[in-house]
Amino acid sequence: MVASGKGKGFGGSFSGPVLGRRGVFALGGLSAGAGVLSACGGNTGRGEADGDGPVLSQWYHEYGEAGTQQAALDYAAAYPDARVGVEWIPGDYDAALSSGLLAEDEAPDCFESHLNRGMVEAGQLEPLDDLVADVIDDIPESDLARNTLDGTVYGIRMIDDPQYIVYRPSMFEAAGIAGPPETFDELVDMAVELDSGEVKGIDFGEASGADRLGQHMIHSLGLSFIGADRQAGFDDARMAEGAGSVRRLSESGALLLGAPTAWWDPSSMLQGLTAMSWTGLWTMPALLEGLGDDIGIFPCPGFAGGAPTVFNGGWSAFVNANGPNVEAAKAFTKWLWVDHEEFILDWCLSYGFHIPSRLSLRAQADELTSGPAAEAVAIADEFGWAEDPDWTPAMNTAVNDMMSNIVIEGADPEEELAAAVATVNDELDGIFG
C-alpha cells in the first residue's frame, strides 16, 4: 500500500524544482511520452483535440500506494470539459519537472509540486487566488501559507502528510523502557537498549537521518531557515551540538542499515527488523493491518534542549503559466482539488492515510479520529512545521551536506555549520541581493 522506490511516497520532498534568477536547474531529462498513461482511451498525453474540448496534460510523481494510479486516471476521465492525459513520472520527479516545464511540446498543463520563489520568478506558475476565493476560510492557515508568496496564491494543497517515528510498544516493554523519549539523546540511548543484533534499535534510512534531521533541528531549536534579515537563520552553536547527537546515534551501531526498502515503506517494521522507524501517516493502514495494536508514535524528539518537531509534508496542485490552455487547466484544477470533495477524501483516505487540506473535510475523515492515526493528527497540529517557499534545493543540500559530513564523515561540527551558513547566505544574496 506504500511506496516501493525512491520518491514514490505521499510525503513529498522538502523543496521542489527551482528555476531561479541566476539560471535554470534542468536536473535531468525526460524522454518524450515517458510514463504517460491514458485517461481517455487512446489518448497518450497532450494531442489533438477531437471535439470533446481541449487536451490537457496532468503530471504526478510515481506514488507507490496501491490504487493511486488508477484513481488519478478515474478522476481525469470523469472530467467533462476536457480530455486529460495523466503522466505518472517515475524516479526523480523534481528533476523531471524542472526539465519538463521547459519543453514546449511536452510540458504539463497542471502538475503537483512544492512552491518556491524560483518557479514564480521564472514565470512558471499561474496565480490561483480566484480558484480558492470561495473556500479560503476552509483552508488551514499553514496550508495556505506554504502556497502563497508575496500575497499571491500559486498552489492548492492536495494532502498533508506528517512524518514522525513509529515504534513497537511490545518491544519497549520487553526492554523495560517506559515510553517514548523526550530528547534526541534519550532516543539514542533507547535505540541502543533495543538493539538485539537481529532487531535493530531504529531505522532512519540509509543516510542515518542526515538527509532530514538538520531541518528538524532548526525548527526544534526555535530558529528559522531564513531570518528576517534574509540571511541564514540557523547560525547557532546548538546546531553543532545537535549534530553531535545524531553522530552518536550513527556510531552506536543501533541503526538499521541495508533495509529491504527505503524509510517511507513500512517493511522494516512489518518484518520485525527494527523497534523504531521514521515514517509518515501514509503507512498507517499497512501498519495497522500488519501489527494490530502494537503501534505507537511520537514526534522527532528535541535537540540540545529544543522542542519536538513534526514535518508536515505533502503535495500541492499547480498550473503551468506557459501552457497552451491555462484557463482550461485552471478550470480542471478547481474541479478536482476544490469542487469535488468526494475525490479529495478518496485521495486522502483510500490508499493510505493523509490529512485533508480543508478544515471541513478533516471533520469528515473518520479514519483519522481514533488510535495512532488520531495521535498523528494531534502531534502534527502541536509540533508541525512546513517548508519555506524561499528555501531552495541548494540551501537544502547545504544543510544535508553539513549533517552528512558531521554524522558520517566525522567532520568538525562548527566548521561544517559555518560552511552551510555561508552557502545559504550566498544563495539568499543571489535571490534578494
Side-chain angles (χ1 to χ4, degrees):
M1 296 181 66
V2 290
S4 57
K6 183 177 180 181
K8 296 180 183 177
F10 266 98
S13 62
F14 184 70
S15 294
V18 169
L19 295 177
R21 182 178 292 168
R22 292 189 293 169
V24 172
F25 290 81
L27 306 176
L30 181 68
S31 60
V36 178
L37 296 171
S38 172
C40 309
N43 179 34
T44 55
R46 187 184 294 110
E48 295 297 326
D50 61 357
D52 295 325
V55 178
L56 303 175
S57 173
Q58 181 188 27
W59 282 22
Y60 294 84
H61 81 289
E62 186 182 13
Y63 289 85
E65 289 81 345
T68 51
Q69 178 176 312
Q70 187 58 51
L73 290 169
D74 290 344
Y75 304 154
Y79 186 56
D81 296 329
R83 297 176 64 210
V84 183
V86 174
E87 294 204 31
W88 206 248
I89 308 297
D92 191 340
Y93 177 78
D94 285 349
L97 182 60
S98 290
S99 297
L101 287 172
L102 299 176
E104 292 184 8
D105 295 333
E106 299 294 332
D109 294 288
C110 37
F111 55 92
E112 61 179 11
S113 188
H114 309 93
L115 177 63
N116 63 67
R117 183 175 293 275
M119 298 175 78
V120 173
E121 292 191 349
Q124 295 177 314
L125 303 182
E126 181 70 13
L128 304 181
D129 302 81
D130 53 333
L131 270 59
V132 299
D134 292 340
V135 298
I136 198 163
D137 292 337
D138 196 31
I139 300 174
E141 183 178 345
S142 61
D143 283 349
L144 188 62
R146 73 201 309 176
N147 282 313
T148 302
L149 198 59
D150 298 333
T152 298
V153 176
Y154 290 98
I156 299 173
R157 197 67 176 171
M158 299 157 57
I159 51 175
D160 285 330
D161 280 326
Q163 297 177 16
Y164 46 78
I165 297 171
V166 64
Y167 71 99
R168 298 281 298 276
S170 63
M171 293 185 180
F172 272 49
E173 183 178 355
I177 298 174
E182 295 184 2
T183 69
F184 197 86
D185 284 325
E186 288 181 5
L187 172 70
V188 177
D189 294 337
M190 289 182 182
V192 172
E193 287 186 61
L194 291 162
D195 180 12
S196 68
E198 293 184 1
V199 179
K200 304 304 291 183
I202 190 166
D203 180 6
F204 260 118
E206 287 302 298
S208 303
D211 56 349
R212 67 184 61 89
L213 290 178
Q215 291 82 355
H216 280 266
M217 204 176 301
I218 292 169
H219 189 79
S220 171
L221 295 172
L223 306 173
S224 58
F225 290 92
I226 301 171
D229 59 353
R230 291 182 170 175
Q231 293 288 279
F234 56 91
D235 189 3
D236 188 299
R238 293 174 297 167
M239 288 288 294
E241 180 184 347
S245 297
V246 182
R247 179 161 68 187
R248 187 165 74 90
L249 175 62
S250 179
E251 294 172 346
S252 71
L255 283 166
L256 175 64
L257 299 174
T261 55
W263 66 270
W264 32 257
D265 185 293
S267 294
S268 62
M269 289 293 292
L270 294 173
Q271 295 175 19
L273 302 179
T274 182
M276 298 183 285
S277 180
W278 189 270
T279 191
L281 183 58
W282 61 90
T283 67
M284 187 62 70
L287 290 171
L288 290 171
E289 181 179 355
L291 300 177
D293 60 1
D294 193 19
I295 300 172
I297 66 169
F298 58 90
C300 181
F303 295 88
T309 69
V310 173
F311 174 55
N312 286 328
W315 294 87
S316 298
F318 297 88
V319 170
N320 181 3
N322 300 311
N325 295 295
V326 173
E327 291 305 316
K330 288 179 63 177
F332 170 67
T333 299
K334 182 177 186 296
W335 177 88
L336 178 54
W337 298 116
V338 177
D339 297 339
H340 274 69
E341 296 181 350
E342 70 274 23
F343 290 157
I344 299 171
L345 284 172
D346 180 67
W347 192 243
C348 289
L349 301 173
S350 297
Y351 317 101
F353 288 168
H354 320 277
I355 303 175
S357 58
R358 295 267 290 281
L359 297 173
S360 60
L361 298 185
R362 292 182 179 189
Q364 300 177 41
D366 294 340
E367 293 87 341
L368 306 181
T369 60
S370 62
E375 294 178 37
V377 174
I379 63 174
D381 288 341
E382 184 174 0
F383 303 114
W385 59 277
E387 64 269 22
D388 185 329
D390 283 321
W391 186 255
T392 71
M395 298 177 197
N396 211 50
T397 297
V399 173
N400 288 348
D401 286 348
M402 173 193 76
M403 292 296 295
S404 180
N405 291 339
I406 296 170
V407 172
I408 299 174
E409 303 298 331
D412 179 80
E414 287 79 8
E415 292 180 2
E416 293 299 322
L417 174 61
V421 168
T423 298
V424 170
N425 285 342
D426 284 345
E427 282 288 302
L428 289 168
D429 288 345
I431 294 171
F432 297 111

